[in-house]
Amino acid sequence: MEIIELLKSNSLRVTNHRLAVLTYIHQATSALSHSDLESNFKGEIDRVSLYRIINAFIEKNLIKKIIDAEGQKNYIFNAKHNQKEDVNIQPHYKCKTCNDIIELPELPETYLEKIKGLNIDHINVLAEGVCDVCKEEDKK
Amino acid sequence: MEIIELLKSNSLRVTNHRLAVLTYIHQATSALSHSDLESNFKGEIDRVSLYRIINAFIEKNLIKKIIDAEGQKNYIFNAKHNQKEDVNIQPHYKCKTCNDIIELPELPETYLEKIKGLNIDHINVLAEGVCDVCKEEDKK
DNA sequence: ATCGCATTTGCAACAATGTTGCATAAATAA
DNA sequence: TTATTTATGCAACATTGTTGCAAATGCGAT
Ligand SMILES: [Zn+2]
Ligand SMILES: [Zn+2]
Ligand SMILES: [Zn+2]
Ligand SMILES: [Zn+2]
């Protein structure tokens, strides 16, 4: 199983909880907040364990934490979990209604040139709005 | 007084608290977190009132809320409080050590063109790192 | 398969951050 | 000055995140 291998190859013990959570995030079509996870695993996984599981995944680069304009944390599966570099410049677009997050094109080199005088660890780029699908829904 | 006028012209009642808070944010050289404000006004202004004062300022565009890579909210005076538009695309750089926030050049038109097919309300761009001044300090 | 050690988990307790309702105080309009 | 509206403080509560520790589980080595 893909997910099991993913855990093993990142020297994370394969527990039922980790399997369930990573599988859930992997198949999710939208970004999940911590409370999304809490309600999904209510009665199964303790809130504190979820925090620790999530943090382990982030450290191993298996999921990405995306912070929206209100400071809310959302988690998505990191399809590029092999590449350890440059992952943190990836711009995203987040629909404020359905929570879907898609990747945007990378910032142009010309722009990065302009700001390269600064010591920059990472750049966060998040565009937000209501996606076409949700906009259509609203009309009804 | 500049600050008093700022409140009046935004139809906010001029109270001692609002004057004190807005003056404090205006003269600050770095972005202030809520707990920064709490400790500064400890014993003078209630925590809840601070939340309400801050929210009022944000609604009136007098200050800007900047969310860092950890989701922490920081507030800075909005020098462009007159312009109501395009304020929310302004990229920023935040020093992780001294908390200073400076403005970065705007995103190139070519990039905005690329993503204009999406419904975008605002774009958040925040670069983070340790500024030159703080990097020097560290060496000592 | 079993043993033993290291890691993970649940639970309780706590800390930090943010919200709401309501009585009182203060600011502005009349 | 008075009346009306708005702001404030306080208490209570909700949400989010952290820590310590005992019990459960995973896993490598027998
Ligand atoms: Zn996959
Ligand atoms: Zn949507
Ligand atoms: Zn000024
Ligand atoms: Zn600095």
Side-chain angles (χ1 to χ4, degrees), chain A residues 13-49:
Chain A
R13 288 194 173 178
V14 180
T15 67
N16 290 339
H17 287 357
R18 282 182 180 158
L19 258 178
V21 174
L22 192 50
T23 301
Y24 185 63
I25 297 178
H26 179 250
Q27 55 79 32
T29 61
S30 67
L32 302 167
S33 68
H34 200 276
S35 75
D36 286 338
L37 294 170
E38 276 185 42
S39 36
N40 188 265
F41 293 106
K42 173 138 49 193
E44 296 177 57
I45 306 180
D46 187 77
R47 217 166 54 84
V48 175
S49 301

Side-chain angles (χ1 to χ4, degrees), chain A residues 2-3 26 77 81:
Chain A
E2 186 189 0
I3 300 293
H26 179 250
F77 188 79
H81 44 77

Side-chain angles (χ1 to χ4, degrees), chain B residues 2-3 26 77 81:
Chain B
E2 185 190 358
I3 300 295
H26 179 250
F77 188 78
H81 43 78

Side-chain angles (χ1 to χ4, degrees), chain B:
Chain B
M1 304 282 282
E2 185 190 358
I3 300 295
I4 292 183
E5 292 314 315
L6 217 42
L7 291 173
K8 283 188 184 167
S9 62
N10 282 279
S11 43
L12 288 175
R13 289 192 173 180
V14 180
T15 68
N16 290 340
H17 286 358
R18 282 180 181 161
L19 258 176
V21 174
L22 192 50
T23 302
Y24 185 63
I25 297 178
H26 179 250
Q27 56 80 32
T29 60
S30 68
L32 302 167
S33 68
H34 200 275
S35 76
D36 287 338
L37 294 171
E38 275 186 44
S39 35
N40 188 263
F41 293 105
K42 174 139 47 193
E44 296 177 57
I45 305 181
D46 188 77
R47 218 167 53 84
V48 175
S49 302
L50 276 175
Y51 277 108
R52 298 198 259 226
I53 288 169
I54 290 300
N55 287 338
F57 290 171
I58 294 214
E59 266 174 35
K60 298 298 183 174
N61 220 21
L62 296 177
I63 65 177
K64 284 198 275 189
K65 187 199 309 191
I66 292 175
I67 288 163
D68 69 20
E70 291 312 307
Q72 307 300 336
K73 299 173 179 67
N74 293 94
Y75 305 98
I76 58 174
F77 188 78
N78 181 10
K80 298 174 185 160
H81 43 78
N82 300 312
Q83 304 153 248
K84 300 292 176 187
E85 270 322 305
D86 280 334
V87 171
N88 41 10
I89 312 189
Q90 181 63 58
H92 290 97
Y93 172 83
K94 180 189 172 202
C95 170
K96 293 197 279 191
T97 302
C98 68
N99 256 10
D100 258 24
I101 290 182
I102 62 172
E103 296 194 350
L104 295 180
E106 301 197 1
L107 294 178
E109 271 304 319
T110 57
Y111 186 74
L112 299 177
E113 283 293 321
K114 271 197 225 171
I115 61 178
K116 70 161 180 245
L118 300 160
N119 303 309
I120 295 178
D121 291 345
H122 57 88
I123 307 179
N124 217 290
V125 183
L126 181 66
E128 284 184 286
V130 178
C131 77
D132 283 331
V133 179
C134 292
K135 212 150 212 167
E136 275 307 308
E137 288 291 322
D138 282 353
K139 288 182 188 163
K140 289 167 194 171

